[in-house]
């Protein structure tokens, strides 16, 4: 599948603004951020972002077993209660048209995260959904790595 448009080259100002905004969400640890970005990308089926955020998670110190089991995070004991609350929130916000943002999930977040962290979590999830939609719409896929 070939890329339809090089959206970065066509509107670099908007893409730069999105990257800058990403850099302004500092209250979330890099490992949790990578897990959230990866989980949202798995849900949306974004090949480019799954590849990118799996790599970023490993670079941030994430274990291969947790990455392998992220898709079934509810079924394994490898994730903390805070991570589970954030992952549930990520899934809910990603499927917001279907699920809304249930009070029970929000209340669970509040047990583990500050107001600033909840805003940053939601911004990370929302922005990841936007990045996924760009990459999927324009068929942006990862290059093969030599380590494959």
């Amino acid at each position: 599948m070939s890329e339809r448009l090089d959206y970065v080259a066509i509107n670099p100002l908007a893409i730069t603004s999105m990257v800058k905004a990403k850099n302004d969400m500092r209250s979330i640890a890099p490992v949790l951020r990578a897990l959230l970005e990866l989980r949202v990308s798995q849900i949306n089926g974004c090949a480019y972002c799954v590849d990118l955020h799996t790599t970023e998670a490993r670079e941030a110190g994430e274990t291969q077993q947790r990455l392998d089991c992220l898709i079934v995070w509810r079924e394994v004991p490898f994730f903390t209660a805070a991570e589970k609350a954030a992952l549930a929130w990520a899934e809910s916000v990603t499927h917001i048209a279907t699920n809304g943002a249930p009070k029970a999930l929000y209340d669970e977040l509040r047990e583990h995260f500050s107001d600033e962290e909840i805003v940053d979590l939601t911004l990370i999830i929302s922005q990841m959904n936007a990045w996924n939609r760009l990459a999927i719409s324009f068929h942006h896929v990862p290059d093969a790595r030599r380590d494959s």
Side-chain angles (χ1 to χ4, degrees), residues 4 6 8 28 31 39 42 44 57-58 62-63 79 81 86 91 97 105 110 118-119 126 128 141 145 148:
R4 290 177 171 162
D6 183 350
V8 176
I28 304 303
V31 170
R39 185 66 192 117
Q42 288 173 336
N44 289 325
R58 275 197 226 75
E62 188 53 84
T63 67
F79 299 94
E91 290 182 1
L105 293 181
R110 292 200 59 82
I118 292 171
V119 169
S126 299
M128 195 67 251
V141 296
R145 293 191 303 258
S148 299

Side-chain angles (χ1 to χ4, degrees), residues 18 21-22 25 28 32-41 43-44 53 82-96 100-101 105 109 113 117-133:
M18 287 180 68
K22 177 179 179 176
M25 300 166 214
I28 304 303
L32 179 55
R33 180 190 194 107
L35 288 174
L36 294 171
E37 290 171 336
L38 177 55
R39 185 66 192 117
V40 169
S41 298
I43 292 166
N44 289 325
H53 298 297
E83 289 169 331
K84 288 180 178 186
L87 288 165
W89 187 247
E91 290 182 1
S92 179
V93 171
T94 298
H95 294 295
I96 202 156
L105 293 181
L109 271 184
F113 297 99
E117 290 168 328
I118 292 171
V119 169
D120 282 358
L121 286 168
T122 308
L123 284 167
I124 289 165
I125 295 160
S126 299
Q127 189 178 59
M128 195 67 251
N129 276 287
W131 285 118
N132 288 166
R133 280 151 179 75

